[in-house]
Amino acid sequence: MANKSTRSLSARKGLDNNLFEAISKASHDKKTNQSLQVIAKEFMLGDAVVLGSSSFYDFTKTSGKKHKIHVCSGTACMLAKTQEKLQKNLENHFEKDEIGHAACLGHCHKNSAFMYDDKTYSASSPEEIATIIIKKPVLANNYTVGCNTTPILTGKIADLTAFYQLADTFSNKQTQVIEALKLSKLRGRGGAGFPFWFKLDAVIKENNEQKYIVCNADEGDPGAFSDMYLLEEQPHKVLFGMYISGLTVGADTGILYIRGEYPNAIRVISQAIAEVKALTPNFKFKIIRGQGAYICGEETALLNSIEGLRPEVRVRPPYPAQYGLYGKPTVLSNVETFANIHWILANGGTAYATLGTPESTGTKLVSLDGFFKASGIYEIAMGTPLETIINDFGKGFKTSIKALQIGGPLGGVVPIHKLKELTLDFESLSNNGFLLGHASFVAIPKDFPMIKYIEHLLKFTSDESCGKCFPCRIGSFRGAEMLAKAQKEDYKIDLGLFNDLLETLELGSLCALGGGVPLPIKNILHYFEAELKPYLKMG
């Protein structure tokens, strides 16, 4: 009930005077407490409610105020072993307590990543770093972009006006839009693979004057930079997908919740919105800047965040289609899903369905990290063998690799010998005990201990948990403790107890953060048992 009351009070001001943005701004003030008290009074909320939100995020909590620079702590950078050297170099320019961390900055292809002066960089030498600190230049985040199929997501837009005029063809034609999407079999690209047409259809059926379109651009899976590519290089494909979705369901507002760790994406999208203002006269776009919380990639935590609540996961049902932003019907999907819609409507759902496999249609953006000889973003037809992606596009590995984690920190860990059996689609990976997710390929080198990798996964979950459910909040923390103790002390992990912990996380967690992390850990326990044996007490 408390959240519903806060939601109602936040909704009174809405998006024009947004509570979350007000809290974010106040949290960066010198007189934070006084500023937050003013906000609480303005919104008729208790001081604790506003402070509770402010204290949650990496960039707004009290300890974060000291940070002048943020070092990437994402999986790809960790495995590349670049960040310790980077940290030491940065300590020549900043005090230790002025250096914070960010979960991932989208420089997985190059590593040595950090965020400074609202820009992101990759730099390894003391000279490079000194130049950046002094001059604060704008540097391009360069990486290879390739495609092995029809370039739905990577193709260029020839004429922007004509591109948006496609919406006129489908204005007031809900049935045709739904039918095209249904024929296309487009599934959500955020990980779950839910049929997208169903979300639109569900919101259409809701009888409510106010409806919203929300683009989840805060899915910050370490190792994945496909959302960053689309936001920075293909912004209009994303915006059009939101726009036509709004026209279809009767929503007049689209909100892009973009990671604060992607500052350039925010600048590019802002410019793109200004470019099409005249072309989308009855639809308003709004950018909300995230403040450093991986859990906001979970759709209901994201909605709570926009509303100014602590970004805790909601119990479902009700689902966002019925009770979404400010309690209104909401179409909520991720960046890549929206970016597919223009091509589907322009070419027909059947044409899209002919690409890929019968159940996993279309294409998928794949992120290859810095261990690949040709790291970058590749648009790949669903159903393509993973070995083809690795060898023909990634050009193989720079060093000896023993496994890939595919699909982010909750994705499966695939040993090298299994890759030849798998193809890029939901079914192939799921049927073999893995996950497609964001289709990020993070390489685990042979010399990186798997015991340390499991600890990293559990610590990441513990750090990023919203804290609402005990299995995730406590289980991940205790699991990380066990892994650390086994590496540092004369202690062996009771495998029976550890499996019970994983089962509790899997079955008892409210969302996919706690519920999903057992998958890669189980993969590692299964495929790398011999390596882990010295740390385990077999039950």
Side-chain angles (χ1 to χ4, degrees):
M1 287 298 294
N3 275 355
K4 283 191 174 182
S5 299
T6 304
R7 182 170 296 120
S8 297
L9 291 168
S10 175
R12 290 169 60 245
K13 303 283 187 176
L15 292 166
D16 291 333
N17 185 11
N18 179 250
L19 175 58
F20 174 62
E21 290 183 300
I23 292 171
S24 300
K25 183 180 178 183
S27 298
H28 294 287
D29 290 346
K30 290 183 179 179
K31 297 182 178 180
T32 298
N33 288 340
Q34 294 94 316
S35 298
L36 291 175
Q37 287 171 351
V38 170
I39 292 168
K41 187 174 181 180
E42 179 186 354
F43 282 82
M44 301 172 64
L45 296 168
D47 290 351
V49 174
V50 175
L51 181 60
S53 292
S54 174
S55 63
F56 186 94
Y57 302 90
D58 288 343
F59 301 154
T60 61
K61 58 189 177 185
T62 304
S63 59
K65 288 186 69 174
K66 295 180 181 179
H67 298 154
K68 296 179 179 179
I69 192 166
H70 295 83
V71 174
C72 180
S73 60
T75 309
C77 281
M78 177 197 72
L79 291 169
K81 299 179 182 178
T82 59
Q83 302 312 85
E84 187 176 338
K85 177 184 174 184
L86 174 63
Q87 175 85 18
K88 287 180 180 177
N89 282 331
L90 290 174
E91 286 173 9
N92 293 324
H93 303 274
F94 301 94
E95 299 296 326
K96 283 188 178 181
D97 63 358
E98 293 177 332
I99 303 173
H101 86 279
C104 183
L105 297 174
H107 285 244
C108 320
H109 56 288
K110 199 172 181 182
N111 313 124
S112 300
F114 61 97
M115 182 166 66
Y116 177 61
D117 190 42
D118 205 34
K119 305 177 192 74
T120 58
Y121 299 98
S122 286
S124 54
S125 73
E127 294 76 20
E128 282 182 291
I129 291 168
T131 299
I132 288 168
I133 301 306
I134 295 167
K135 296 187 177 180
K136 304 176 183 178
V138 177
L139 299 179
N141 184 12
N142 295 320
Y143 48 85
T144 302
V145 178
C147 180
N148 80 336
T149 182
T150 303
I152 294 171
L153 299 168
T154 54
K156 293 182 179 180
I157 297 172
D159 185 326
L160 196 59
T161 301
F163 185 83
Y164 277 89
Q165 281 176 345
L166 179 66
D168 298 336
T169 307
F170 289 93
S171 182
N172 298 315
K173 293 181 180 177
Q174 296 175 332
T175 305
Q176 286 91 327
V177 173
I178 296 296
E179 186 62 22
L181 291 169
K182 191 183 289 189
L183 285 172
S184 76
K185 294 186 179 180
L186 174 66
R187 296 167 66 174
R189 295 314 200 228
F194 193 75
F196 179 70
W197 73 267
F198 192 82
K199 291 186 177 184
L200 292 188
D201 194 50
V203 173
I204 287 170
K205 292 173 181 175
E206 292 296 312
N207 184 21
N208 200 305
E209 288 186 11
Q210 182 63 63
K211 299 176 181 181
Y212 293 105
I213 308 296
V214 176
C215 178
N216 183 352
D218 197 75
E219 293 184 301
D221 284 348
F225 48 104
S226 49
D227 285 357
M228 181 190 71
Y229 163 75
L230 290 169
L231 293 168
E232 294 183 2
E233 304 297 332
Q234 304 284 356
H236 291 292
K237 292 185 180 180
V238 181
L239 294 179
F240 178 89
M242 296 177 68
Y243 175 48
I244 194 65
S245 295
L247 295 183
T248 302
V249 304
D252 63 359
T253 304
I255 301 98
L256 296 107
Y257 190 106
I258 304 178
R259 307 182 68 221
E261 295 89 339
Y262 285 176
N264 192 52
I266 294 171
R267 286 188 283 269
V268 172
I269 286 286
S270 298
Q271 180 60 38
I273 290 171
E275 288 172 359
V276 298
K277 199 169 184 179
L279 301 176
T280 61
N282 300 317
F283 192 81
K284 179 172 64 176
F285 289 103
K286 168 78 174 180
I287 296 172
I288 299 285
R289 183 186 186 123
Q291 292 294 328
Y294 175 79
I295 194 61
C296 288
E298 197 284 330
E299 60 180 16
T300 61
L302 182 151
L303 294 173
N304 278 4
S305 181
I306 296 173
E307 295 164 347
L309 283 70
R310 280 177 71 87
E312 294 177 340
V313 175
R314 298 183 190 176
V315 177
R316 286 159 292 185
Y319 294 94
Q322 288 79 40
Y323 187 85
L325 183 62
Y326 298 125
K328 305 299 183 182
T330 302
V331 175
L332 199 163
S333 200
N334 87 315
V335 174
E336 189 172 340
T337 309
F338 281 120
N340 275 286
I341 296 174
H342 187 281
W343 195 94
I344 292 170
L345 296 182
N347 296 276
T350 303
Y352 189 86
T354 60
L355 301 169
T357 72
E359 296 304 319
S360 295
T361 60
T363 69
K364 183 76 191 75
L365 290 181
V366 175
S367 307
L368 302 184
D369 79 353
F371 279 103
F372 289 84
K373 291 178 181 175
S375 56
I377 289 288
Y378 297 91
E379 183 173 8
I380 304 293
M382 287 285 206
T384 300
L386 296 194
E387 283 197 328
T388 299
I389 299 170
I390 292 164
N391 297 322
D392 294 358
F393 293 89
K395 305 301 180 187
F397 302 107
K398 296 175 182 176
T399 187
S400 295
I401 300 299
K402 62 183 172 185
L404 291 178
Q405 183 165 27
I406 299 175
L410 312 180
V413 173
V414 186
I416 287 295
H417 75 270
K418 286 286 291 183
L419 292 171
K420 63 180 179 292
E421 303 172 24
L422 302 172
T423 54
L424 184 78
D425 54 81
F426 293 102
E427 289 71 34
S428 175
L429 288 158
S430 177
N431 292 340
N432 283 277
F434 307 115
L435 184 76
L436 177 63
H438 256 64
S440 52
F441 284 34
V442 173
I444 304 174
K446 272 193 174 179
D447 63 356
F448 195 91
M450 279 303 193
I451 189 78
K452 188 175 179 181
Y453 199 76
I454 298 175
E455 181 192 3
H456 165 73
L457 294 174
L458 285 167
K459 189 173 186 310
F460 176 85
T461 303
S462 174
D463 289 346
E464 300 298 339
S465 174
C466 77
K468 186 168 184 176
C469 68
F470 290 162
C472 179
R473 184 177 80 198
I474 300 173
S476 58
F477 184 82
R478 293 301 179 205
E481 277 187 332
M482 292 168 70
L483 271 295
K485 189 175 181 181
Q487 295 171 77
K488 296 173 184 175
E489 301 176 23
D490 183 19
Y491 168 79
K492 290 195 174 187
I493 297 167
D494 185 311
L495 188 57
L497 178 65
F498 192 63
N499 282 329
D500 286 346
L501 172 65
L502 294 179
E503 184 178 20
T504 302
L505 278 163
E506 195 169 40
L507 300 179
S509 298
L510 270 175
C511 80
L513 179 55
V517 74
L519 173 66
I521 295 173
K522 285 180 178 180
N523 293 153
I524 294 170
L525 289 170
H526 177 69
Y527 291 108
F528 296 92
E529 182 182 2
E531 181 184 332
L532 295 171
K533 218 166 190 177
Y535 302 97
L536 302 175
K537 181 171 69 177
M538 315 303 280

